[in-house]
Amino acid sequence: MKKKFFEALFLLVFTLTGQLIIGSESTGSHHALFSKDSINTQKNQPVKNAIANIAPTLTATGDQIYCPGTSMKIVTDMTIVDPDDLGIDAIYIQISSGYDAGQDVLTLTGSHPNITTTWNAIAGTLSLTGVSGQPTYIELVAAIKDVEFSSSAANPTGVKNFSISVGQANYLPSNGHYYLFVPNIGITWSAAKTAAQASNYYGLQGYLATLTSAEESQIAGEQTSGAGWIGGSDEANEGVWKWMTGPEIGTVFWNGDYTGSTPNYAFWNGGEPNNVNGNENYAHITATGVGITGSWNDLSNTGEASGSYQPKGYIAEYGGMPGDPILHISTSTTLTIPTITSTTTDTRCGTGTVTLQATSNTGVVNWYQNPTGGAPLGTGNSFTTPTITGTTTFYIAAHSINCNDDARVPIKAFVTPRPVLTVTSPYYMCDESYTIIDVQTTSGIMFWYDSPTSTTQFFLGTHFIVPNIHQDTIFYAEANYNGCLSTREPVDIKVYAPPVVADEHYDICSGDVLTLNAQNPGLLYQWSTGETTQTITSNGLLSDYSVVVTTLPPGSCSKTMNFHINQHVSPVIAEVAVDESKVTIITTESGDFEYSINGIDYQNSNEFIVSQGGTYTAYVREKNGCGTDSKPFIVITYLQFFTPNGDNFNDVWFVKGEENFPEFEVKIFDRFGKVITILNASNLFWDGTYNGKLLPSTDYWFVAKINGLYPEKKGHFSLKR
């Protein structure tokens, strides 16, 4: 019955070498080998007359905490159940996720004389095979139990997943899928898609790989032995990349060119996809050494004929398809490295305590003062620091009972320095003035308030322009540095009254002495002359003076008093100019004078019109009472022409008002200077004759002499017939 049952089952298995292994009860541990190519060409049909082989069931236990710096077995127990075989050719143990190439390693320890190992550092895979012939399951299980993981990283982190499998395909425990790189130089994307779909792995339907997570990308891309096709394409719609095979068929994973974006997951190389030849519509894992290891680029269906962009094969993925059998040909364990998974820092203002938060994958967090050594300051996800005065670094470790806490992570408790103000108080200012108060802060922006509790600032800045206040007032200064407030400091402003001054104007006579008084006794004085007394004497040389009057400290309020002095000169008549009837009084200096020719009636003008000749006196007086002067003068009026023709109109020439000058004498000359006649008290006019003869019409000249007190008057007139 058992024999018939096993003979009724077939299982086709691909290995990395491309061979089909068929096992049977009758053959025990011996396997018949068939080429993978023959299966592909026969569209995955089972080989006729092959004896069925039941796949083994692998079960491992041992999810453990790994202590950095140690070497640790990857399982605590391991079983392999195979109803029809005693052994198998190989077991493959792979660091299937969390692999850190160059630092992580798997090593077989202990004595296993019939087992040999091969470590593939690229794939992160340790192969267990027989030294000669096929090893038994008992030998393989014993070896698996002695396989240890170690890391040379100073502070390894995360979770290391280990897959233990009877096949060479990479196994990803998180989704239960297998990934196999199939070498085939120059294969097209279309052919790779067909070949992958025609293959199976222990009965699992194959398809061109669809990589939807970073874990898949790592195990199928970074941890494979070559560059190859994967199942993405934008052939149907340029720039819209979809998975074209497997369970994710039709799913969009990228939109656009290299500047585009993904709705879920993509791992393009830098500058990809670029559609450089206009027909690069197929996704391909980048060759080693070209950009980011395991990343993708877009190629045409054929790729390049040689070089880095020549297809070297394809990645077949198994698992997740409808009708797939449930297999146990792989099992897995994990080593979890104690790791801080999240931190939350905090900031306080000024000296005090800060509460920090952290979580770990072990559930226990220890808090330390230093990066190494010392006892924990606290334990738990929350930690309140001691009092600190500035930003301080603490250290946290994900604690495990079997591990020390050397892998510590720094976490900072931030302290924003509280601004400190430099304030002068009280501050003195003078009424009726605007004053600037400088209040310095060590940091932040200065705000000013009118009360110790007000929330509304009325001024911003360190240079506070004090408004025109008239009484003592307290303002409040506060600095804000990133939300950290200084102490609100009062600034007491004492308001002092300035001295009361008023400008003064004086009118004085030239030569007068004047005392100038700054008033406000007992204060400080600074005159424009350099003097510092309350009063000074004007010497009459300056017309403007000023004095700064300052109150005593601490007010020291100043006001300026101005003095303007008008000096009035005394009048002095230099000349009285008489031009016929026009009289002009001329003074030696100009001033604020008024004029008169009768001593009674004064006018501002120094010019007069006199209609009657005679003796007059000119008067000048200064309007502010600064002196007078007078000078006598005579006015002689005469005819400009006369017509001695006997019509009794202008028949004779004479000096008007001559009767007022009993001593007058007027000599008349012809044009050659010959005296024609002399007028005086006994000869009052001239009739135009000389020695009884008529003289011709022409101009004649005269010299009038009033008496010995007045100067002679000269002029000329015309005779017309």
Side-chain angles (χ1 to χ4, degrees):
M1 183 70 178
K2 179 178 179 181
K3 181 176 181 180
K4 290 180 179 181
F5 173 75
F6 288 120
E7 290 177 349
L9 296 178
F10 288 89
L11 182 64
L12 304 180
V13 182
F14 277 97
T15 69
L16 186 63
T17 59
Q19 295 176 321
L20 174 68
I21 303 173
I22 300 178
S24 70
E25 185 181 25
S26 62
T27 58
S29 61
H30 296 86
H31 292 203
L33 301 179
F34 298 85
S35 72
K36 186 185 75 171
D37 292 338
S38 67
I39 294 176
N40 284 341
T41 56
Q42 298 182 36
K43 300 189 182 295
N44 208 29
Q45 296 298 316
V47 179
K48 293 181 180 180
N49 300 322
I51 300 174
N53 183 23
I54 299 176
T57 297
L58 280 65
T59 304
T61 59
D63 292 345
Q64 307 169 78
I65 299 295
Y66 172 73
C67 300
T70 66
S71 181
M72 179 174 254
K73 289 181 170 54
I74 64 170
V75 301
T76 56
D77 197 9
M78 179 73 197
T79 61
I80 301 177
V81 177
D82 190 339
D84 60 350
D85 287 308
L86 298 177
I88 198 168
D89 288 341
I91 290 290
Y92 302 95
I93 304 173
Q94 183 178 38
I95 306 174
S96 54
S97 64
Y99 177 52
D100 189 354
Q103 294 181 316
D104 294 349
V105 66
L106 295 174
T107 306
L108 177 62
T109 64
S111 176
H112 303 278
N114 293 329
I115 301 295
T116 186
T117 63
T118 302
W119 169 246
N120 185 333
I122 295 176
T125 301
L126 181 70
S127 302
L128 304 180
T129 57
V131 173
S132 61
Q134 187 183 69
T136 67
Y137 285 132
I138 293 175
E139 292 172 320
L140 290 170
V141 167
I144 293 170
K145 289 182 179 182
D146 277 347
V147 171
E148 293 186 353
F149 167 81
S150 62
S151 173
S152 61
N155 293 299
T157 59
V159 176
K160 308 291 182 179
N161 280 288
F162 305 96
S163 65
I164 306 169
S165 177
V166 297
Q168 288 189 348
N170 295 341
Y171 174 64
L172 185 63
S174 62
N175 62 6
H177 290 199
Y178 297 85
Y179 305 84
L180 184 66
F181 173 70
V182 181
N184 192 329
I185 294 177
I187 189 172
T188 66
W189 184 87
S190 299
K193 178 173 178 287
T194 300
Q197 290 174 337
S199 68
N200 66 55
Y201 186 76
Y202 284 96
L204 300 177
Q205 174 63 51
Y207 51 91
L208 209 54
T210 58
L211 309 180
T212 61
S213 70
E215 280 188 320
E216 282 191 282
S217 274
Q218 182 177 21
I219 199 168
E222 293 182 46
Q223 294 180 238
T224 57
S225 57
W229 296 113
I230 56 176
S233 172
D234 71 341
E235 179 182 18
N237 189 355
E238 180 65 37
V240 180
W241 286 85
K242 298 179 181 180
W243 295 117
M244 307 301 291
T245 60
E248 289 82 14
I249 187 169
T251 300
V252 175
F253 65 89
W254 187 259
N255 290 293
D257 58 9
Y258 65 92
T259 64
S261 61
T262 176
N264 38 68
Y265 177 80
F267 190 40
W268 294 105
N269 202 353
E272 302 285 352
N274 56 21
N275 196 29
V276 68
N277 293 320
N279 63 349
E280 295 188 340
N281 299 322
Y282 305 95
H284 185 271
I285 291 181
T286 305
T288 302
V290 179
I292 305 170
T293 302
S295 62
W296 314 337
N297 62 285
D298 57 337
L299 294 177
S300 66
N301 186 51
T302 59
E304 299 291 336
S306 62
S308 296
Y309 296 101
Q310 178 191 41
K312 302 299 192 294
Y314 59 91
I315 310 295
E317 182 176 352
Y318 303 92
M321 293 293 286
D324 278 350
I326 299 174
L327 298 178
H328 300 286
I329 60 173
S330 295
T331 186
S332 65
T333 61
T334 62
L335 291 182
T336 300
I337 301 169
T339 303
I340 298 297
T341 55
S342 69
T343 61
T344 303
T345 187
D346 201 0
T347 302
R348 71 160 292 111
C349 174
T351 300
T353 62
V354 177
T355 298
L356 307 174
Q357 306 286 336
T359 58
S360 74
N361 57 2
T362 64
V364 180
V365 178
N366 281 351
W367 300 79
Y368 293 90
Q369 183 73 52
N370 300 308
T372 58
L377 298 175
T379 299
N381 298 120
S382 180
F383 170 66
T384 299
T385 70
T387 297
I388 55 178
T389 59
T391 297
T392 303
T393 301
F394 294 90
Y395 298 87
I396 47 179
H399 181 69
S400 172
I401 192 171
N402 296 320
C403 304
N404 58 36
D405 288 353
D406 288 343
R408 299 178 187 178
V409 175
I411 181 173
K412 286 188 177 182
F414 293 95
V415 175
T416 300
R418 188 182 297 278
V420 177
L421 307 186
T422 302
V423 178
T424 299
S425 185
Y427 192 91
Y428 304 101
M429 68 171 288
C430 302
D431 194 4
E432 302 178 4
S433 67
Y434 290 89
T435 305
I436 296 178
I437 296 178
D438 287 326
V439 173
Q440 300 302 318
T441 175
T442 55
S443 59
I445 301 173
M446 183 76 70
F447 295 96
W448 292 84
Y449 302 87
D450 58 7
S451 79
T453 58
S454 174
T455 58
T456 303
Q457 68 270 12
F458 64 86
F459 188 82
L460 171 67
T462 56
H463 303 294
F464 173 38
I465 302 175
V466 180
N468 186 9
I469 57 177
H470 304 288
Q471 61 185 6
D472 293 353
T473 305
I474 298 178
F475 294 105
Y476 296 85
E478 180 181 80
N480 185 327
Y481 178 60
N482 294 335
C484 185
L485 305 180
S486 70
T487 302
R488 190 172 289 193
E489 297 287 351
V491 180
D492 188 7
I493 300 176
K494 302 294 185 182
V495 180
Y496 287 85
V500 178
V501 298
D503 293 346
E504 295 183 357
H505 298 267
Y506 295 96
D507 291 293
I508 65 172
C509 298
S510 179
D512 288 352
V513 175
L514 179 65
T515 298
L516 304 180
N517 192 337
Q519 310 300 328
N520 300 284
L523 303 186
L524 304 176
Y525 317 94
Q526 185 62 55
W527 289 87
S528 56
T529 60
E531 296 165 278
T532 57
T533 56
Q534 180 181 334
T535 63
I536 66 171
T537 299
S538 169
N539 55 15
L541 297 179
L542 300 175
S543 59
D544 290 291
Y545 295 82
S546 64
V547 59
V548 177
V549 182
T550 304
T551 60
L552 299 178
S556 299
C557 299
S558 297
K559 283 282 189 175
T560 299
M561 185 176 182
N562 297 297
F563 300 85
H564 181 69
I565 301 173
N566 289 324
Q567 298 190 57
H568 303 285
V569 297
S570 297
V572 176
I573 299 175
E575 177 188 0
V576 179
V578 179
D579 184 8
E580 297 181 358
S581 62
K582 180 181 178 182
V583 175
T584 302
I585 304 173
I586 302 172
T587 58
T588 57
E589 294 184 64
S590 61
D592 194 9
F593 302 150
E594 56 184 1
Y595 307 86
S596 175
I597 58 174
N598 62 10
I600 298 172
D601 302 311
Y602 282 86
Q603 64 182 40
N604 291 327
S605 174
N606 65 337
E607 294 182 353
F608 297 86
I609 300 298
V610 178
S611 61
Q612 184 66 42
T615 302
Y616 294 86
T617 301
Y619 298 91
V620 181
R621 67 183 181 187
E622 205 280 322
K623 292 181 179 180
N624 296 281
C626 293
T628 63
D629 195 13
S630 63
K631 190 178 187 66
F633 65 94
I634 61 171
V635 176
I636 297 176
T637 60
Y638 56 94
L639 298 176
Q640 296 296 318
F641 65 92
F642 74 109
T643 58
N645 54 12
D647 62 356
N648 295 321
F649 185 76
N650 289 337
D651 282 338
V652 294
W653 183 88
F654 61 93
V655 174
K656 297 179 180 180
E658 55 190 12
E659 66 273 12
N660 297 317
F661 310 112
E663 299 180 18
F664 86 96
E665 178 184 86
V666 179
K667 293 180 180 180
I668 298 174
F669 304 88
D670 65 10
R671 60 186 302 175
F672 302 106
K674 178 182 178 181
V675 177
I676 302 300
T677 186
I678 298 175
L679 303 180
N680 51 39
S682 60
N683 184 23
L684 296 177
F685 57 85
W686 179 48
D687 60 4
T689 66
Y690 179 73
N691 292 330
K693 294 180 181 181
L694 298 177
L695 292 180
S697 297
T698 185
D699 285 342
Y700 294 88
W701 281 259
F702 72 89
V703 175
K705 182 178 180 181
I706 302 304
N707 56 38
L709 300 176
Y710 298 98
E712 294 178 342
K713 173 69 175 178
K714 297 179 180 180
H716 66 90
F717 60 92
S718 298
L719 186 156
K720 296 180 181 181
R721 292 193 183 273

